Amino acid sequence: AYEIPKRDWSSDVCSSDLNLRSASSWRILDELDRTTRSWWSVAGVTPLPYFRPPYGDFDADVLRATGLRGYADCFLWDVDPSDWTDPGPGTIAARVLDRVRPGSIVLLHVKPQTAAALPAILRGLRKLDLEPVTLTELLAAGAPVTTGTVGLPY
């Protein structure tokens, strides 16, 4: 049971990264549209209503643009195992399990080492009496979200 908040097209798919805070409103909207179409064509779903800004970097213009495209909430994370550096599945799992607590949001990337770490992460969470849930389930349970949400500025 996982949900994947949307990142922008450039940082997930293309070789260049786009700094959303320095991009024009048109460029931000284009990134959101391209990513949503990509999600739909691959998985038959969209990441709405959640947005995760690349690198956790956003400003009021980014939030305004995401709001125009239907993203109601911007979420950050409190556990980052830096899996994008490919430190190995054991290190990824250890970093998650050392830092996770009730209500945590864990940042994981689609990478082979991260996939290999998932069984150990899930076993470790069970040993800690923690259950992985979707963001929707976390919010519905009234659990405090450790990093909070950022409301749209309008």
Side-chain angles (χ1 to χ4, degrees):
Y2 303 97
E3 290 172 323
I4 305 174
K6 184 234 154 304
R7 271 186 73 188
D8 67 281
W9 173 268
S10 292
S11 33
D12 277 349
V13 180
C14 299
S15 59
S16 65
D17 286 331
L18 174 68
N19 179 341
L20 291 180
R21 287 193 316 144
S22 65
S24 69
S25 294
W26 178 89
R27 182 70 170 124
I28 296 167
L29 292 170
D30 182 59
E31 290 290 314
L32 294 167
D33 292 344
R34 290 173 66 193
T35 303
T36 299
R37 283 193 306 271
S38 176
W39 271 94
W40 186 257
S41 70
V42 171
V45 298
T46 67
L48 290 166
Y50 307 124
F51 175 73
R52 177 184 65 82
Y55 316 107
D57 195 21
F58 63 94
D59 61 12
D61 290 335
V62 172
L63 292 178
R64 227 179 327 279
T66 58
L68 288 172
R69 288 301 188 254
Y71 294 92
D73 291 298
C74 174
F75 285 88
L76 300 177
W77 55 92
D78 66 311
V79 177
D80 180 0
S82 298
D83 59 327
W84 59 272
T85 64
D86 293 326
T91 300
I92 294 168
R95 288 175 179 170
V96 169
L97 297 171
D98 286 346
R99 300 172 188 161
V100 73
R101 59 188 176 185
S104 281
I105 296 176
V106 180
L107 174 65
L108 295 173
H109 296 84
V110 179
K111 298 189 62 84
Q113 289 188 9
T114 304
L118 283 176
I121 292 170
L122 295 173
R123 278 192 307 274
L125 291 174
R126 281 192 292 274
K127 287 180 182 175
L128 294 170
D129 286 328
L130 296 173
E131 178 184 349
V133 298
T134 65
L135 190 51
T136 299
E137 292 169 324
L138 185 67
L139 296 171
V145 178
T146 55
T147 54
T149 65
V150 179
L152 298 173
Y154 50 77

